[in-house]
Amino acid sequence: MQDRLERMLKYKEPDFQERRALATQARDKALAKLRAKPPVDPVLAAQRAAAAQAKAAAELEKRQQAKLAREEERAAKAERARLEAEAAAAAIKPALTDEERKAARDARYQARKSRKGAR
């Protein structure tokens, strides 16, 4: 415990100059590491760029195809809705005129009368 206390008492915060020197050393070390790296082959760089461009073009084409498919689906859905609305409108019976209602009533009356007379 005493040893730990002595170490804590001996610890001194690094001042600005020490921190600056450490930062300079770290920067120099990183730069040396980058300089030691072999240069990129121009042919390889061109191949990578071409591959990236081809990938981007393929992605753009894929997005355009998906957009066209969505638009076609919307158009088909709208056409189905229009056809359903037309079918529903055709299924609705038009309102009968007074003469048609009277003729239907008379036909029912005649049918009922003929059933009673057949007994």
Side-chain angles (χ1 to χ4, degrees):
M1 181 84 171
Q2 186 68 18
D3 184 42
R4 186 173 179 197
L5 182 61
E6 286 176 16
R7 278 188 299 188
M8 287 175 49
L9 290 175
K10 287 182 183 179
Y11 178 74
K12 185 174 75 170
E13 287 285 327
D15 62 357
F16 176 73
Q17 298 297 332
E18 291 173 358
R19 292 194 312 266
R20 185 174 172 197
L22 287 173
T24 303
Q25 287 175 357
R27 185 181 67 240
D28 290 342
K29 185 177 177 183
L31 287 173
K33 187 176 178 182
L34 283 175
R35 287 186 190 114
K37 199 174 186 182
V40 177
D41 185 21
V43 174
L44 183 61
Q47 288 175 347
R48 287 180 184 166
Q53 189 176 11
K55 184 178 179 182
E59 183 66 28
L60 179 63
E61 180 67 26
K62 184 179 175 183
R63 276 193 237 124
Q64 288 175 344
Q65 291 294 333
K67 183 178 178 182
L68 286 174
R70 285 192 305 270
E71 288 174 359
E72 289 174 0
E73 180 63 29
R74 281 188 206 119
K77 192 174 184 181
E79 181 65 19
R80 282 194 304 269
R82 186 185 64 79
L83 291 174
E84 288 174 3
E86 286 179 2
I92 296 174
K93 294 180 181 177
L96 298 176
T97 63
D98 288 337
E99 293 83 21
E100 291 170 335
R101 281 200 310 264
K102 186 176 179 192
R105 185 192 66 206
D106 290 344
R108 286 193 308 270
Y109 179 71
Q110 275 302 88
R112 188 171 60 240
K113 201 170 189 185
S114 66
R115 280 192 313 261
K116 282 186 180 183
R119 288 185 188 174

